[in-house]
Amino acid sequence: MNCTETTTRLHQYLDSDLADQAQFEEHISHCDSCQAELNAIREWRRALAELPVEPARAGFEQRVLGEVHRHYPERHHHGFVTGFATAVAASLMLWLSSLMFFQQDISDASVVMLTVNQERTVRLMIEAVGDLDQVTLSLNLPEHVELAGYPGESRLNWQTRLQKGQNILTLPFLAVDQGQGEMIARVNYGDKSKTFRILMKTTDDGAMDYVIQPVPLV
Amino acid sequence: MTLSNLWPFQRSEQQRFDALVRPHLQRLYRLAYRLTSSRYDAEDLVQDVLIKLYPRLKELAAVDNPVSWMSRVLLNQYIDDYRRRQRSPLASIEDESRFYQLAENPRPQPHEVAEREYSAQRLQSALQSLNMEQRMVILLHDVEGYSLEEIRQMQDVPLGTLKSRLSRARSKLQKRLKKMEPSSTVQREIG
């Protein structure tokens, strides 16, 4: 290999993309000018890779997202119920009576057909013996189920308050795939906790059933 | 029976969008900065991209690799902006004059006389001498470390075209860097 051939291969060599690497290295080992050229290229490529990036100005993320929000102002909803107005099919009332103190009353198992990729509204009823502040609700969803509006999230938590009597939690479920698994709903208040497990499964034709399993007090 | 506000946190579209893009904003900014070399222009570019993507929230939520898609949109936005600026004769005159001023008067520092040194300023100036396609491929490949295959997917340009662009970009960059060296640098020995 001569100098002309070598100098046309300098970048390929640095890219480790040279078929005749042995001949290249053989020439480089006894040619000072080609070695110098290789070193120079290695140096400026290294400097190029190390070119600094000025950090974004403070508040960059907030600023750009703020501009997007101004560009696309949020449509106003009349509460979350309106948001579910477009959900397909009927909702099912599941009577999950959860009393934080003393009482427990789980409804009989119920079955609902849900269709893959079609939202279905499920309402859970939670009964409290008194007004309760700072109640935490959490949901652990099975793999094939999502909550509409929360794509890809399998664990969700909210802080809320319960009123004395019956409280309705409306959940828009979406089966994104066929499968079977448990949804675990947990209600926490202070050091007290109540867990409900709902078995959700997709039938052969893609519809999803769910069955409430009674569980003991946690 | 009370339909209480047990569900106060149904995410709005804005919240969903924010949750989806926020983890990738710094990476997008970095890419935008590489292309524009300016914090302000980089921020504007990212903002324009987000405004373009917002109506496509559902699609964005459905892709496996949203940052790859967002990067592609960013590159295309940059190309559109660049071509629009190029059509303005005033902008191109400003760019050219800035380059030649730097190239002809590199003002070598004392420690640069005896050996080659590739300062950030010199490299940035040399990069500006490349055409947009060449500059993009060298920034993405040699600076940011994307593979040619990744760049092919981002830009939808054939691999062969990218390879030859990269080769020409490097060659041109090398020539510009040599031209910018102080005249007293090492004389090359031809062996």
Side-chain angles (χ1 to χ4, degrees):
Chain A
M1 196 176 279
N2 58 34
C3 287
T4 304
E5 290 166 332
T6 301
T7 52
T8 60
R9 287 164 167 76
L10 294 170
H11 283 285
Q12 273 180 279
Y13 176 72
L14 291 173
D15 289 337
S16 304
D17 188 24
L18 201 58
D20 43 3
Q21 182 168 325
Q23 292 96 307
F24 178 92
E25 285 175 341
E26 208 276 326
H27 177 90
I28 285 281
S29 67
H30 64 256
C31 179
D32 289 346
S33 64
C34 286
Q35 179 69 63
E37 196 68 29
L38 179 67
N39 290 342
I41 291 174
R42 189 182 271 129
E43 197 183 322
W44 69 250
R45 277 181 56 162
R46 181 197 52 75
L48 206 58
E50 291 173 3
L51 272 178
V53 173
E54 272 188 283
R57 294 178 299 148
F60 154 70
E61 293 180 10
Q62 212 49 45
R63 213 166 29 250
V64 296
L65 290 173
E67 277 306 309
V68 176
H69 299 168
R70 271 187 281 281
H71 206 90
Y72 298 102
E74 202 79 83
R75 289 169 294 175
H76 291 288
H77 296 284
H78 299 288
F80 61 93
V81 174
T82 306
F84 303 144
T86 56
V88 178
S91 65
L92 172 78
M93 295 300 293
L94 298 181
W95 296 89
L96 294 178
S97 291
S98 167
L99 304 180
M100 284 300 171
F101 308 101
F102 315 124
Q103 249 184 308
Q104 172 186 342
D105 181 13
I106 309 291
S107 73
D108 292 334
S110 304
V111 178
V112 166
M113 306 297 287
L114 296 174
T115 309
V116 175
N117 290 329
Q118 219 168 40
E119 267 186 39
R120 196 78 178 226
T121 300
V122 172
R123 294 198 179 100
L124 307 184
M125 197 275 286
I126 301 174
E127 191 162 356
V129 293
D131 290 347
L132 304 172
D133 285 329
Q134 296 189 334
V135 173
T136 303
L137 304 175
S138 63
L139 295 179
N140 272 29
L141 299 173
E143 266 185 23
H144 64 296
V145 174
E146 283 179 357
L147 217 53
Y150 294 79
E153 296 199 33
S154 61
R155 297 169 65 98
L156 299 137
N157 296 287
W158 303 271
Q159 283 259 317
T160 188
R161 64 185 303 273
L162 297 179
Q163 295 178 339
K164 182 180 176 180
Q166 294 169 347
N167 300 263
I168 305 294
L169 174 63
T170 305
L171 299 170
F173 286 117
L174 182 70
V176 295
D177 203 354
Q178 293 190 14
Q180 174 175 313
E182 272 189 335
M183 183 197 83
I184 303 170
R186 193 169 285 118
V187 185
N188 289 301
Y189 176 69
D191 60 354
K192 293 180 174 55
S193 181
K194 191 83 177 146
T195 300
F196 302 92
R197 296 173 190 273
I198 301 174
L199 184 63
M200 297 183 169
K201 59 181 183 177
T202 311
T203 59
D204 287 343
D205 62 358
M208 184 169 78
D209 300 339
Y210 65 87
V211 176
I212 304 164
Q213 302 288 347
V215 292
L217 265 168
V218 171
Chain B
M1 193 174 301
T2 310
L3 270 174
S4 71
N5 61 340
L6 269 181
W7 193 258
F9 307 118
Q10 169 70 25
R11 280 193 190 176
S12 64
E13 223 171 49
Q14 282 180 357
Q15 287 170 323
R16 284 166 60 199
F17 182 79
D18 289 3
L20 203 55
V21 304
R22 193 185 281 269
H24 309 298
L25 287 180
Q26 289 298 333
R27 185 164 164 180
L28 287 179
Y29 167 82
R30 185 184 174 90
L31 183 59
Y33 183 88
R34 287 296 186 208
L35 295 169
T36 61
S37 302
S38 154
R39 294 163 104 184
Y40 297 91
D41 290 348
E43 191 173 305
D44 285 349
L45 181 55
V46 172
Q47 186 176 293
D48 288 347
V49 167
L50 295 182
I51 288 174
K52 198 169 239 179
L53 286 173
Y54 189 89
R56 303 177 72 179
L57 170 56
K58 268 193 181 161
E59 289 172 70
L60 196 59
V63 298
D64 288 334
N65 191 358
V67 72
S68 184
W69 190 22
M70 289 194 279
S71 300
R72 193 160 60 238
V73 173
L74 190 142
L75 288 179
N76 289 333
Q77 184 68 44
Y78 172 75
I79 291 169
D80 289 345
D81 292 346
Y82 180 88
R83 286 181 177 150
R84 210 172 297 122
R85 280 199 309 276
Q86 289 301 99
R87 285 195 284 274
S88 163
L90 186 61
S92 59
I93 288 169
E94 280 178 358
D95 289 344
E96 283 295 315
S97 66
R98 183 163 61 87
F99 166 69
Y100 283 118
Q101 188 180 12
L102 286 164
E104 287 167 5
N105 302 298
R107 293 203 186 100
Q109 301 300 309
H111 63 279
E112 291 180 0
V113 171
E115 59 182 287
R116 296 175 187 176
E117 188 159 297
Y118 302 104
S119 65
Q121 186 189 17
R122 193 174 287 182
L123 284 166
Q124 291 285 12
S125 303
L127 283 167
Q128 293 304 315
S129 73
L130 304 176
N131 68 34
M132 184 201 45
E133 285 88 6
Q134 289 168 349
R135 192 165 64 249
M136 278 179 72
V137 74
I138 211 164
L139 283 171
L140 291 171
H141 187 273
D142 287 356
V143 181
E144 284 297 298
Y146 288 95
S147 68
L148 285 178
E149 176 55 31
E150 285 171 322
I151 299 170
R152 184 196 71 75
Q153 290 177 20
M154 284 162 78
Q155 293 197 267
D156 201 20
V157 170
L159 206 58
T161 306
L162 289 173
K163 276 185 174 170
S164 64
R165 263 185 208 171
L166 182 62
S167 176
R168 278 198 293 272
R170 283 166 168 173
S171 175
K172 206 170 171 185
L173 200 64
Q174 195 169 335
K175 284 185 184 132
R176 289 296 183 188
L177 288 169
K178 273 190 182 165
K179 218 174 171 181
M180 292 163 81
E181 284 169 15
S183 55
S184 55
T185 47
V186 174
Q187 288 195 351
R188 181 178 168 158
E189 290 180 61
I190 308 295

